[in-house]
Amino acid sequence: MANPTEEIPDSIVSPHPHSLASTTEQQPQKHVSASSSPYVTRQWKPAAQRNLRNQWSKLASFKHQWVSLSSSARSHATSIVNAYLSQRYMPAMELGILFDMPNIRKKACSKLFKKQELHKRTLLSFYKDMVGVVKQMINTARSMRCFLKGTSNSPLVQFSLSSEDKNDAGDGEGIPVFKFWSISTYESLAQELVQMFALELNLRRLLVMELVSVYCEEASQVNDIHWSNELYPGEFDDFRVCNLYSDETCEPTPPRINSSNPKPLSLQYNHHQDREVLQVYLTTWLAEVHVDTYRVDEIFNIIGDEMGLIIS
């Protein structure tokens, strides 16, 4: 489904801090940036190429993990809905020859309730894994740069993903890495890609909360879940990494449907949802409204063309 490219308060993948370093600071004598000498530049380019290949291969792998986890999670979400609706409509069901069995409806509802609870726990587990995948995607998108390690006078010039020199931006001063694009172009495309999944994750959180909150009236214990509650220990720390957590409100940023309507969704929870509403939730999960699958494939294709390889 086409992706409405709404913006969140800050960029999902913030600019690398070394790209903002002041050029007026004096560089220590023992360090030389990756583009300060022809020799180091010649060594930087192959290292930068290897790093970009690795990072984009990781992004492709994370995309496939997301698809697999999303599909499995939706299967359990469907089971939650089916078990809930079966309990809800049990009193009106025709039982045929089983009608005279003692407590047949009560026993059936009890088993359906246990099944529903099992699928809720599994759905939360898959959701946690999906958060982890997006978190790794964001960390990968922030690891596109390649920095000089040690000194340029060493017999073997080495590079790393972290800088030992504030004047080394890790981008080779903007020179093309493969054919035409500098590091910043790869970072921009990675940010566009990751932002889709981060926004979709935020919407998935709302759907998960709604699905694990549905109970029949006969349920003896109902634990209210609110948007400001963690769905698993450490969830808010993960959402901070994904830039989906507001320190001002002390809760995750409310999801939005499209950029033309910046107002967040109204978060109202109902333990007794109708069949039609639950079907909309499942359809929304399947649709992935924030992930433009055509654009995702296009990004990987153009990156592969630039690098001269197939990324899948």
Side-chain angles (χ1 to χ4, degrees), residues 12 127 130-132 134-135 138 142 198 200-206 227 230-232 234-246 251-254:
I12 292 287
Y127 165 74
M130 293 174 71
V131 175
V134 174
K135 181 180 175 182
I138 289 173
R142 293 170 176 168
E200 182 65 21
L201 176 66
N202 208 26
L203 180 58
R204 293 293 176 89
R205 184 178 197 270
L206 177 61
W227 187 252
E230 283 192 324
L231 297 184
Y232 64 84
E235 181 195 17
F236 288 172
D237 290 335
D238 292 339
F239 264 57
R240 283 190 178 92
V241 174
C242 299
N243 203 25
L244 295 173
Y245 184 86
S246 171
E251 63 182 21
T253 305

Side-chain angles (χ1 to χ4, degrees), residues 6 97 124 142 163 197 219 227-228 230 241 243 258 268 304:
E6 59 270 41
I97 62 174
L124 286 172
R142 293 170 176 168
S163 175
F197 290 94
W227 187 252
S228 58
E230 283 192 324
V241 174
N243 203 25
N258 55 58
Q268 298 177 350

